[in-house]
């Protein structure tokens, strides 16, 4: 029986796993998100006002670039099993900067689509490579490291978004170009910092909480591992919180409730505040595979609570609607925080060490697929009406239950036990 989570000692609470390289990669993640926050808030307006694309062209550009980006995670994972992860990460960071810088050279729609797509590929790859580096450098403390990293990058994103907001008040072409160049500069800085990180050892496999290499799995490729593929498929649905918070809430507030329109950006502020406040303290509840599996039940409950509250927000006046929306936002944010812990631990724990990169690359497809599927699902829910939200919440509960069954420990067969006994 595994011990229940206990209080985190004060010294450990403020320490970063992974030593110097773990701290350095944490700085890399923060700088990356500051730069991304600067550009993401201005990218749509840049294409609209600087390159003079139409709204439909902008939507097509983002959609096509996203399709190519889906190939980034599995490609990066496969390469990381063969070459040093830090060197591949540097290449991806520089490629992101080069593709972004190329946007300044043209107003042609086809070339803008090409450069955006070429940037999406290393962008999605970088997230998997960063996750793989963290899993290797932090070892058994990878869940705590991921929690600290998510907290830090949310702060970095907020700083970048605030900087973008200040620059956009100017509204000139030079201001948009300055934000783009600032993001390019951030890629150069994190490339240099990543080069200074030592290559972490690629474990045969490290089980969280034990530090002992485990027996390699029989299946060396995730594409033949039906359990891992099924786990990744359920992850696509559980990552819907991203689209619900960023797309669903603004549309629902405007079209279906009497809550003030200004509440929409406050939902994202509340989300960031909760992640910053709770991600690290709650990380102790997902520090091993069994604990991560137990989290799936409260994750489902939080999703269902959010769906019911969002539906209720359409039934009352401004004050009631505002309260219900905030309750829903808090519930979906809690689901996001807990799912980040469970997803991180299970995706690594289910992967054999010798193919860890390939497995995490396949798992990265879940977020990529959600970015394409999520807005469509959320759009249908908004247009369907209030009943769609608790129904969607119920499907998320089902996904949690299915995943909980998928990741349960495998019981050795009678034949396996007999074989083991006869060999002793």
């Amino acid at each position: 029986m595994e011990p229940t989570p206990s209080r985190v000692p004060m010294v450990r609470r403020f320490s970063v796993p992974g030593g110097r390289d773990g701290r350095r990669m944490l700085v890399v993640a923060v700088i990356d998100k500051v730069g991304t926050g600067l550009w993401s808030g201005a990218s749509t307006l840049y294409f609209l006002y600087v390159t003079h694309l139409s709204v439909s062209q902008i939507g097509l550009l983002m959609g096509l670039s996203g399709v190519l980006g889906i190939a980034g995670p599995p490609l990066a994972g496969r390469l990381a099993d063969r070459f040093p992860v830090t060197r591949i990460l540097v290449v991806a960071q520089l490629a992101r900067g080069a593709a972004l810088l190329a946007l300044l050279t043209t107003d042609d729609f086809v070339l803008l689509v090409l450069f955006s797509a070429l940037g999406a590929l290393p962008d999605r790859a970088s997230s998997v490579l960063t996750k793989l580096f963290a899993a290797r450098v932090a070892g058994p403390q990878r869940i705590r490291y991921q929690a600290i990293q998510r907290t830090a990058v949310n702060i970095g994103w907020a700083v970048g978004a605030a900087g973008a907001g200040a620059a956009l008040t100017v509204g000139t072409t030079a201001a948009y170009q300055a934000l783009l160049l600032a993001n390019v500069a951030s890629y150069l800085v994190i490339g240099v910092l990543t080069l200074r990180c030592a290559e972490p050892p690629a474990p045969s496999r490290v089980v969280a909480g034990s530090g002992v290499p485990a027996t390699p799995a029989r299946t060396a490729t995730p594409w033949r591992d039906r359990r891992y593929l099924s786990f990744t498929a359920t992850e696509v649905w559980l990552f819907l919180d991203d689209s619900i918070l960023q797309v669903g809430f603004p549309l629902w507030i405007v079209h279906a409730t009497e809550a003030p329109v200004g509440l929409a950006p406050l939902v994202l502020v509340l989300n960031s505040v909760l992640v910053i406040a709770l991600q690290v303290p709650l990380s102790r509840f997902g520090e091993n595979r069994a604990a991560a599996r137990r989290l799936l039940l409260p994750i489902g409950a939080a999703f269902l609570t959010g769906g019911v509250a969002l539906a209720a927000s359409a039934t009352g006046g401004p004050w009631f609607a505002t309260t219900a929306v905030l309750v829903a936002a808090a519930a979906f944010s809690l689901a996001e925080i807990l799912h980040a812990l469970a997803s991180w631990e299970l995706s690594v724990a289910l992967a054999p060490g010798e193919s860890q990169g390939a497995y995490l690359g396949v798992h990265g497809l879940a977020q990529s697929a959600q970015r394409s599927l999520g807005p469509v699902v959320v759009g249908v829910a908004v247009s369907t009406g209030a009943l769609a939200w608790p129904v969607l919440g119920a499907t998320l509960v089902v996904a949690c239950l299915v995943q909980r069954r998928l990741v349960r420990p495998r019981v050795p067969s009678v034949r396996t036990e007999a074989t083991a006994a006869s060999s002793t």
Side-chain angles (χ1 to χ4, degrees), residues 6-85:
S6 56
R7 260 193 194 281
V8 180
M10 185 64 68
V11 174
R12 185 187 168 205
R13 194 176 302 173
F14 294 99
S15 63
V16 178
R20 182 186 63 183
D21 290 328
R23 293 190 295 271
R24 188 168 287 160
M25 192 56 71
L26 193 65
V27 173
V28 166
V30 173
I31 295 175
D32 187 0
K33 285 301 178 182
V34 171
T36 302
L38 286 171
W39 173 240
S40 293
S43 59
T44 302
L45 297 178
Y46 174 87
F47 291 127
L48 187 64
Y49 294 121
V50 178
T51 63
H52 305 294
L53 299 183
S54 66
V55 173
S56 59
Q57 285 179 316
I58 294 173
L60 183 60
L61 178 149
M62 292 183 173
L64 291 176
S65 63
V67 170
L68 182 59
I70 291 176
L75 177 61
R78 179 62 66 181
L79 290 173
D81 284 332
R82 301 182 179 184
F83 305 101
V85 65

Side-chain angles (χ1 to χ4, degrees), residues 245-260:
L245 286 163
Q246 296 196 38
V247 180
F249 271 83
L251 292 177
W252 186 251
I253 289 169
V254 171
H255 293 291
T257 77
E258 294 185 29

Side-chain angles (χ1 to χ4, degrees), residues 17-18 21-22 25-26 28-29 32-33 72-74 76-77 80-81 85-86 88-90 92-93 96 122-147 149-150 153 194 199-203 206 228 231-232 235-236 239 286 292 338-351 355-368 371 403:
D21 290 328
M25 192 56 71
L26 193 65
V28 166
D32 187 0
K33 285 301 178 182
D81 284 332
V85 65
T86 51
I88 303 171
L89 184 55
V90 170
Q93 291 161 345
R96 293 164 74 191
D123 182 70
R124 303 283 176 85
S126 294
S127 62
V128 170
L129 294 169
T130 303
K131 178 179 179 180
L132 183 58
F133 179 93
R136 291 177 177 177
V137 79
Q141 298 185 59
R142 56 178 176 256
I143 290 299
R144 176 171 170 76
Y145 185 89
Q146 185 261 2
Q149 185 181 66
R150 286 199 82 231
V153 298
T194 303
E199 178 68 16
V206 176
Y228 201 86
F231 164 71
T232 300
E235 287 284 85
V236 175
F239 277 122
L338 296 179
H339 177 240
L341 297 173
S343 175
W344 171 272
E345 172 59 23
L346 292 172
S347 65
V348 176
L350 294 173
S355 301
Q356 195 177 66
Y359 272 70
L360 294 184
V362 167
H363 181 261
L365 288 173
Q367 283 184 301
S368 296
R371 290 178 184 177
Q403 187 174 114

Side-chain angles (χ1 to χ4, degrees), residues 84-350:
V85 65
T86 51
R87 299 303 180 261
I88 303 171
L89 184 55
V90 170
V91 172
Q93 291 161 345
L94 295 181
R96 293 164 74 191
L100 189 60
L101 189 62
L103 295 178
L104 293 176
T105 66
T106 183
D107 293 337
D108 181 76
F109 174 67
V110 174
L111 288 177
L112 289 172
V113 170
L114 175 63
F115 295 147
S116 296
L118 291 176
L121 187 68
D123 182 70
R124 303 283 176 85
S126 294
S127 62
V128 170
L129 294 169
T130 303
K131 178 179 179 180
L132 183 58
F133 179 93
R136 291 177 177 177
V137 79
Q141 298 185 59
R142 56 178 176 256
I143 290 299
R144 176 171 170 76
Y145 185 89
Q146 185 261 2
I148 295 173
Q149 185 181 66
R150 286 199 82 231
T151 301
V153 298
N154 268 272
I155 296 173
W157 181 278
V159 171
L168 291 177
T169 57
V170 179
T172 63
T173 297
Y176 289 115
Q177 292 173 337
L179 291 173
L180 185 152
L181 289 171
N183 196 19
V184 172
S186 73
Y187 293 139
L188 295 176
V189 172
I190 63 177
V192 172
L193 289 176
T194 303
L195 281 174
R196 297 182 63 189
C197 292
E199 178 68 16
S204 59
R205 186 173 181 187
V206 176
V207 178
S210 68
V212 179
T215 304
R218 289 183 180 179
T219 307
T221 170
W223 301 109
R224 296 178 182 175
D225 190 332
R226 287 180 293 178
R227 179 166 71 156
Y228 201 86
L229 291 175
S230 300
F231 164 71
T232 300
T234 59
E235 287 284 85
V236 175
W237 204 246
L238 294 182
F239 277 122
L240 275 178
D241 59 82
D242 182 63
S243 292
I244 292 172
L245 286 163
Q246 296 196 38
V247 180
F249 271 83
L251 292 177
W252 186 251
I253 289 169
V254 171
H255 293 291
T257 77
E258 294 185 29
V261 176
L263 184 63
L266 293 181
V267 166
L268 295 180
V269 173
L270 175 62
N271 174 257
S272 294
V273 169
L274 289 175
V275 170
I276 292 170
L278 299 178
Q279 192 72 72
V280 174
L282 292 179
S283 66
R284 64 194 178 97
F285 293 102
E287 291 186 330
N288 53 61
R289 178 171 162 180
R293 182 173 180 264
R294 286 194 294 268
L295 284 178
L296 290 168
L297 293 180
I299 290 169
F303 275 132
L304 185 58
T305 300
V308 171
L310 210 51
S313 67
T315 64
W319 284 105
F320 179 84
T322 298
T323 302
V325 166
L326 291 177
V327 169
F332 279 113
S333 295
L334 179 61
E336 176 195 355
I337 292 167
L338 296 179
H339 177 240
L341 297 173
S343 175
W344 171 272
E345 172 59 23
L346 292 172
S347 65
V348 176
L350 294 173

